[in-house]
Amino acid sequence: DGGITQSPKYLFRKEGQNVTLSCEQNLNHDAMYWYRQDPGQGLRLIYYSQIVNDFQKGDIAEGYSVSREKKESFPLTVTSAQKNPTAFYLCASSRGGGYGYTFGSGTRLTVV
Amino acid sequence: KNEVEQSPQNLTAQEGEFITINCSYSVGISALHWLQQHPGGGIVSLFMLSSGKKKHGRLIATINIQEKHSSLHITASHPRDSAVYICAVRSEGNKLVFGAGTILRVKS
């Protein structure tokens, strides 16, 4: 079945360490997105990519980096520069052009 | 003020009750999405609509473009409907702007 796979589901890291969250899709979607979810707030866009080898900053890109070397993969790195990295991270994809979105199951990152 | 406002923030209902969740937005949109998030965190897309009304099983979504308002209705609610329901609007650049979500708990 087609879908989006995020791994791992739970991730613990020490403060000051970089960490990379994985997002893979087999839907042949062109566009992929990373969102951050904090309690009581709506999802906020970190980065998005509409095509391979191209990506754009979202509303809260500071302290994060991404790559899009393959259509299927859009990993997110949470760097030590991100001041409050503990959050729930969701990856999504879409065909673009107004079509619906498919979401992953999320990764809960806790930095101690 | 958030661009997408949902109400209520929390909702507790008895099994069988008719439930309404509201969403108001202040930006121009090309489409509105209703999403469901279960306790594990994964999100499922329920509806995407740009006008009128859509129905799927016990779920009904309506949108009024002129009033910039949408509602999600659940008929004959059941404890398995307990989840967070999220409204999101698609603005320019095919980006989604999300509401904060409505936490629904249906008691048996």
Side-chain angles (χ1 to χ4, degrees), chain B residues 30-49:
Chain B
S30 54
L32 183 143
H33 299 255
W34 280 104
L35 311 167
Q36 180 190 55
Q37 184 174 31
H38 277 282
I43 290 180
V44 174
S45 180
L46 298 175
F47 295 103
M48 180 176 71
L49 64 165

Side-chain angles (χ1 to χ4, degrees), chain A residues 16-19 62-65 77-83 85:
Chain A
Q17 289 182 334
N18 291 357
V19 60
E62 185 176 347
Y64 299 98
S65 66
T77 297
V78 185
T79 75
S80 56
Q82 168 49 235
K83 294 193 184 342

Side-chain angles (χ1 to χ4, degrees), chain A residues 56-102:
Chain A
Q56 307 294 330
K57 291 183 179 180
D59 301 317
I60 55 165
E62 185 176 347
Y64 299 98
S65 66
V66 294
S67 63
R68 185 87 187 276
E69 296 176 3
K70 298 186 300 181
K71 190 174 187 177
E72 302 79 21
S73 179
F74 192 40
L76 173 74
T77 297
V78 185
T79 75
S80 56
Q82 168 49 235
K83 294 193 184 342
N84 295 296
T86 294
F88 187 66
Y89 292 89
L90 275 159
C91 178
S93 71
S94 75
R95 268 193 285 168
Y99 290 98
Y101 294 75
T102 301

